[in-house]
């Protein structure tokens, strides 16, 4: 279970003109934002949608830091940390959650953060352009 954010060229038409103004290091500029700031936005949204089990005692995933980020070129992937792999059950309605509707909090959380991520990326590139030019 994971969710992946990757920049789709069709979604970044707004950025196209900015890309033309930046030399060869546009990939590094985008990756610097997508690997540092963007995952924080997505993780925060995902955790806010994560269900809180009433059955389990102790610390719940929602109250911990349950997610990790895998960096990929022009994107990132969010996965549960090993000890929180059980989150797949409520997310996909598997195991003890069979019969329930899949919650899909991972995908819904990522989807809800996409506008904020793209806005942040635009601001990140604007800041770079202001400094360089």
């Amino acid at each position: 279970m994971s969710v992946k954010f990757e920049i789709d060229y069709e979604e970044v038409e707004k950025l196209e003109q900015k890309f033309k103004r930046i030399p060869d290091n546009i990939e590094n500029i985008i990756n610097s934002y997508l690997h540092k700031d963007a995952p924080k936005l997505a993780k925060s949204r995902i955790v806010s949608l994560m269900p809180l089990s009433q059955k389990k005692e102790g610390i719940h995933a929602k109250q911990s830091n349950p997610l990790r980020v895998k960096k990929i070129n022009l994107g990132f992937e969010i996965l549960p940390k090993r000890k929180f792999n059980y989150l797949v059950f409520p997310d996909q309605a598997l195991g003890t959650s069979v019969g329930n509707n899949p919650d899909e909090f991972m995908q819904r959380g990522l989807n809800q953060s996409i506008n904020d991520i793209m806005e942040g990326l635009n601001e990140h590139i604007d800041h770079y352009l202001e400094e360089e030019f």
Side-chain angles (χ1 to χ4, degrees):
M1 171 186 74
S2 68
V3 288
K4 189 183 292 186
F5 175 87
E6 294 180 286
I7 292 183
D8 181 4
Y9 187 75
E10 293 176 12
E11 295 177 9
V12 294
E13 290 177 0
K14 184 176 176 183
L15 295 171
E16 185 176 10
Q17 293 303 316
K18 294 175 188 177
F19 290 173
K20 290 178 182 177
R21 294 179 53 198
I22 299 175
D24 298 334
N25 63 349
I26 185 65
E27 192 171 325
N28 292 333
I29 294 166
I30 292 170
N31 278 331
S32 70
Y33 176 77
L34 291 180
H35 295 167
K36 183 180 177 194
D37 298 324
K40 292 176 189 174
L41 294 170
K43 284 170 57 175
S44 172
R45 185 68 66 161
I46 290 168
V47 169
S48 74
L49 296 174
M50 198 175 285
L52 186 62
S53 171
Q54 301 302 317
K55 297 177 183 179
K56 184 181 173 191
E57 293 183 21
I59 298 176
H60 297 275
K62 186 172 185 158
Q63 300 164 327
S64 302
N65 183 14
L67 304 173
R68 63 185 173 95
V69 176
K70 179 179 173 185
K71 297 174 184 176
I72 57 177
N73 191 39
L74 299 178
F76 59 88
E77 185 173 2
I78 297 178
L79 306 101
K81 292 179 180 175
R82 182 174 297 216
K83 94 182 223 184
F84 298 108
N85 278 341
Y86 66 84
L87 290 171
V88 71
F89 298 116
D91 189 62
Q92 300 299 312
L94 302 172
T96 59
S97 297
V98 168
N100 297 340
N101 290 327
D103 196 341
E104 298 179 338
F105 57 86
M106 295 280 286
Q107 191 62 54
R108 287 187 304 120
L110 178 64
N111 290 346
Q112 290 178 11
S113 64
I114 287 175
N115 287 340
D116 292 336
I117 290 170
M118 294 307 292
E119 183 178 314
L121 180 58
N122 268 294
E123 290 173 7
H124 182 73
I125 292 171
D126 287 344
H127 181 71
Y128 176 81
L129 287 171
E130 289 171 11
E131 285 182 357
E132 288 295 312
F133 304 103

